[in-house]
Amino acid sequence: MSNHLVRGRQVFVDEIEALKGVTDRLDDNFVQAVESMSAALDSGHKIIVVGVGKSGNIGQKIVATLNSTGAPTVLLDSQNALHGDLGIVCDGDACIAMSFSGETSELLTLLPFLKRFNMQIIAMTGNVSSSLANHADIVLDTGVEREACPLNLAPTSSSTAMLVMGDALAMALLEARHFTKEDFAKRHPGGSLGRALLTKVCDIMRKDIACLPATATVSECLLAMSRAKAGACILVKEDGTLAGIFTHGDFARAYQADELVGGKPVAPLMTPTPVFVKEGELAAAAVRTLRNRRIDDLVVLDGDGKPVGLIDTQDLARLKLI
């Protein structure tokens, strides 16, 4: 086996073992940290994350995760904080201060100024006896016995432990604040999840549709489909409610049986109980229906059961819903 593969696998093993150790040491401090963050957000304040070096890099990811899950969070650069950036800190905020050693000089220099604010400081450190831990209100232990680095120098297991601790805080906070998929989608409108959860059927349906009385002939339906550039014609009853649907596929099958089918009534050839969705439903529901029923056209009805649109599977790819 290649030495590279052996080393790669060993890194996975070492970091997994390190995470198990951190997991075993999770205690009530974690609960207090989540409650402190939640209290800050509930009072209209925010979360401050501060770290230096690799801890600062991990902090950036933690900030991104918290923001994406509805917890307003900012990253405070410890150097710039002493030259004006402390202006982003307010009484009532919650602060996560990150340092594996707990003795990072830049962070310790900043700490007294942070403590002047009326906020709780949550230390995320690998040394629970450090200066950072001693001056924090809550301490989260991310200590590891050794790094995955064969020299035991490069931050590997330690930075992974901090990253996972940040994810754990974000997920516990998400659950505590009853954050939903819809809330997540609001913060990701450009992604596929946002499109699926925020877009409604009425936003994607074709409004220029082929729609005729159920008394129409096959030829009339084909002409209407051609004008609407659609693959189906919707048939309605006298009161305007849905009677059925006639597709190009239905015509092809009927034509094979009778070449003179064009002049005949469409009613016996249409599907009398077509699948449909309501215009106010989420587009995601229409996507599921099309996939599960394996159909190409989906009728859209309004609240009175009258056809107002059509969804074609070809539109879904264009709209990036599939």
Side-chain angles (χ1 to χ4, degrees):
M1 186 181 295
S2 166
N3 288 337
H4 302 317
L5 186 56
V6 171
R7 171 50 57 193
R9 287 180 173 173
Q10 189 59 49
V11 170
F12 275 87
V13 170
D14 290 346
E15 296 205 9
I16 289 170
E17 286 301 313
L19 289 177
K20 287 180 179 178
V22 176
T23 303
D24 292 340
R25 295 195 302 276
L26 276 181
D27 56 19
D28 191 56
N29 281 316
F30 182 84
V31 177
Q32 292 178 37
V34 174
E35 291 178 348
S36 175
M37 295 163 67
S38 183
L41 296 175
D42 289 345
S43 63
H45 294 91
K46 61 187 176 297
I47 300 167
I48 308 289
V49 175
V50 59
V52 179
K54 295 297 187 295
S55 295
N57 294 334
I58 297 300
Q60 285 184 311
K61 194 277 179 183
I62 294 174
V63 168
T65 300
L66 286 167
N67 279 325
S68 71
T69 51
T73 308
V74 296
L75 184 69
L76 177 63
D77 181 274
S78 59
Q79 293 283 353
N80 292 334
L82 298 175
H83 298 279
D85 280 7
L86 268 176
I88 68 172
V89 183
C90 300
D91 289 334
D93 290 342
C95 177
I96 301 175
M98 302 170 59
S99 169
F100 181 67
S101 68
E103 300 294 344
T104 307
S105 59
E106 297 93 335
L107 185 55
L108 294 183
T109 300
L110 175 62
L111 196 58
F113 300 99
L114 290 174
K115 290 183 69 66
R116 292 180 181 179
F117 291 90
N118 180 23
M119 67 178 182
Q120 287 197 307
I121 295 178
I122 304 164
M124 192 183 294
T125 180
N127 183 359
V128 295
S129 299
S130 63
S131 299
L132 173 60
N134 289 333
H135 290 90
D137 300 293
I138 302 167
V139 180
L140 299 176
D141 184 359
T142 57
V144 297
E145 290 189 6
R146 76 173 277 115
E147 301 287 1
C149 168
L151 303 176
N152 196 31
L153 294 174
T156 44
S157 298
S158 59
S159 56
T160 299
M162 282 187 166
L163 178 63
V164 176
M165 183 68 79
D167 285 343
L169 288 171
M171 297 306 101
L173 187 61
L174 173 153
E175 190 172 77
R177 303 182 72 231
H178 308 292
F179 193 80
T180 66
K181 289 192 296 183
E182 288 72 23
D183 294 325
F184 190 87
K186 289 178 183 177
R187 290 156 179 82
H188 297 75
S192 58
L193 177 62
R195 286 189 293 272
L197 291 179
L198 297 179
T199 306
K200 292 187 177 182
V201 168
C202 59
D203 297 323
I204 65 169
M205 68 183 186
R206 295 186 180 187
K207 298 178 182 178
D208 183 14
I209 57 176
C211 186
L212 295 174
T215 55
T217 64
V218 171
S219 293
E220 289 171 334
C221 290
L222 293 175
L223 180 59
M225 282 189 271
S226 177
R227 288 174 175 169
K229 297 180 181 180
C233 181
I234 302 171
L235 290 312
V236 295
K237 302 174 184 176
E238 290 185 5
D239 61 0
T241 57
L242 182 63
I245 188 171
F246 182 71
T247 67
H248 274 303
D250 294 328
F251 169 70
R253 288 184 289 272
Y255 183 79
Q256 289 176 344
D258 181 3
E259 294 183 0
L260 300 177
V261 70
K264 296 185 177 180
V266 74
L269 303 173
M270 70 181 183
T271 300
T273 54
V275 181
F276 65 85
V277 291
K278 294 296 183 69
E279 61 178 337
E281 292 185 52
L282 291 175
V287 173
R288 286 195 299 271
T289 300
L290 286 165
R291 284 176 175 170
N292 296 339
R293 300 299 292 268
R294 297 183 179 181
I295 55 178
D296 296 324
D297 302 284
L298 187 59
V299 180
V300 181
L301 304 181
D302 64 12
D304 297 323
K306 297 180 180 179
V308 290
L310 187 74
I311 294 179
D312 190 305
T313 51
Q314 297 180 22
D315 297 332
L316 301 182
R318 175 175 55 81
L319 295 165
K320 298 181 180 180
L321 287 170
I322 57 174

